[in-house]
Amino acid sequence: MTGRTTPYRVDPDDQDPYAEPARRAAAWRPAVKAAAVVLPVCLIGWLGWQAVANSARDVSSHASARQAPSYAEGDRVGDGGDDARAATSPDSADPTGPAAAPSAAAPSPSAAAAPGGTDRPLAGRTVLLDPGHNTGNAKHTAEINRKVDIGNSHKECDTTGTSTDAGYPEAEFTLDVVHRAERILTDRGATVVLTQNGDRAWGPCIDERARIGNEAKADAAVSVHADGAPASGSGFHVIMPARVAAGPADTSAIVEPSQRLGLLLRDTFKAGTGEPFASYIGRQGLDTRSDLGGLNLSKVPKVFIECGNMRNAGDAQRMSDPQWRQRAAQALADALTSYLTG
């Protein structure tokens, strides 16, 4: 409204001393009633406006959070951000699309060292690893001294093996190297068969060791040993099968591929470990024998490696070093990989 309000005037005829306060109260009563109605309505309206405004801010805040994830949440390695994005990718529903491809994780050292440019070059291949001897053989002399037929003669089932002067047994050395090589070969896709895994009381006999590889139809086999030659001799050598055809033995089909495996193993082992060729063999780290049952009875390509002379102080020190044994295992795995993929 835009009209004027007439100012309040005192009536000169009114002599009652209480009349003036009463008139003032009567004049203000409508305004007070109006305020009593208007103020609560205004307060309710203001509170309602605040609630709506806060709700709008919350909705806006949540929408912004969904639309713009922080760098730390969305891209930090290991926080699941990539997996979350892949789950909503159109390709994730297609098993042949990019989402089905393996992740580009850094390859393991053994896989990176695999010849052939792939991290599983031995998929579908079977490898026999034969850790020589057994630490329990010394307690089972009757069993290991039993003679077995190796085709062109009879030999003891097994022997105790040798050791360093400090007492490190050949059987412990061979099993450790084989376990290390097994991990590398398995990473490369191979099926690895062991003739014994440290869980037998003794043995197995040499004829059983050959039979395990034959029954597994191994693509290649290596028997790992350490020599017990005179202390003056040092170095390693690889033993390959001679041609033997007698009784249960017939190496005719494996001589040539075994020689190829033996040459690869010799060269790779020397390059990988720095170990020299055996000074007491005189054949550039190679030997061919017809008196080893593990070779005579094998129907699959197979070689022996004498990784060093445990009676020689220098060789013994190297073979007692876990890092050197890892290099030996790496060389063994690399040679088998080259043979099977070459």
Side-chain angles (χ1 to χ4, degrees):
M1 189 188 315
T2 61
R4 291 183 298 174
T5 301
T6 302
Y8 173 78
R9 293 183 295 110
V10 177
D11 187 351
D13 297 332
D14 192 353
Q15 301 298 318
D16 185 353
Y18 297 101
E20 179 63 16
R23 282 193 297 271
R24 291 178 180 176
W28 282 102
R29 192 172 293 119
V32 170
K33 289 180 179 180
V37 173
V38 172
L39 286 176
V41 172
C42 292
L43 179 60
I44 291 171
W46 181 81
L47 291 174
W49 178 83
Q50 286 293 322
V52 171
N54 288 339
S55 177
R57 280 195 298 269
D58 289 342
V59 170
S60 176
S61 174
H62 287 303
S64 297
R66 286 195 301 269
Q67 294 171 3
S70 70
Y71 175 85
E73 291 174 342
D75 295 318
R76 185 172 60 240
V77 174
D79 69 351
D82 289 341
D83 292 340
R85 285 190 292 274
T88 59
S89 168
D91 294 326
S92 63
D94 180 6
T96 63
S103 61
S108 66
S110 61
T118 175
D119 60 353
R120 293 184 67 82
L122 300 181
R125 298 303 194 112
T126 299
V127 174
L128 177 88
L129 295 180
D130 177 26
H133 310 291
N134 187 318
T135 55
N137 280 359
K139 297 179 180 179
H140 295 270
T141 55
E143 291 88 347
I144 67 171
N145 286 333
R146 177 176 63 86
K147 296 294 181 69
V148 299
D149 186 359
I150 67 167
N152 55 5
S153 67
H154 288 73
K155 291 190 69 172
E156 291 80 5
C157 157
D158 203 358
T159 64
T160 59
T162 187
S163 66
T164 67
D165 289 344
Y168 181 43
E170 177 185 1
E172 286 188 14
F173 167 83
T174 61
L175 189 60
D176 183 68
V177 171
V178 161
H179 278 161
R180 294 168 185 269
E182 177 189 19
R183 286 190 289 270
I184 300 170
L185 292 166
T186 300
D187 285 346
R188 294 179 182 177
T191 297
V192 181
V193 178
L194 306 186
T195 57
Q196 60 98 2
N197 198 22
D199 53 358
R200 294 181 56 140
W202 58 276
C205 294
I206 54 177
D207 56 343
E208 184 182 353
R209 290 173 186 266
R211 186 165 61 251
I212 291 170
N214 297 342
E215 291 176 351
K217 295 180 171 56
D219 295 294
V222 176
S223 186
V224 180
H225 287 261
D227 218 346
S232 58
S234 65
F236 82 97
H237 65 284
V238 176
I239 305 172
M240 302 172 295
R243 192 174 299 275
V244 175
D250 187 357
T251 61
S252 302
I254 69 165
V255 167
E256 188 278 329
S258 296
Q259 288 178 345
R260 185 162 60 88
L261 173 58
L263 285 168
L264 280 169
L265 180 55
R266 181 198 66 172
D267 294 345
T268 306
F269 196 85
K270 186 176 189 301
T273 65
E275 185 75 2
F277 298 146
S279 60
Y280 52 92
I281 295 297
R283 297 182 180 88
Q284 292 297 299
L286 294 174
D287 196 9
T288 301
R289 290 175 60 173
S290 62
D291 62 333
L292 298 177
L295 295 180
N296 286 8
L297 300 175
S298 181
K299 306 300 182 185
V300 302
K302 186 176 183 179
V303 298
F304 278 41
I305 181 168
E306 299 281 2
C307 296
N309 180 14
M310 282 194 147
R311 293 300 182 182
N312 176 272
D315 282 4
Q317 182 178 16
R318 286 187 288 274
M319 298 167 82
S320 299
D321 180 3
Q323 293 183 355
W324 188 92
R325 294 198 298 272
Q326 183 64 34
R327 292 196 294 272
Q330 185 75 53
L332 175 59
D334 286 349
L336 281 162
T337 303
S338 294
Y339 171 79
L340 294 173
T341 59

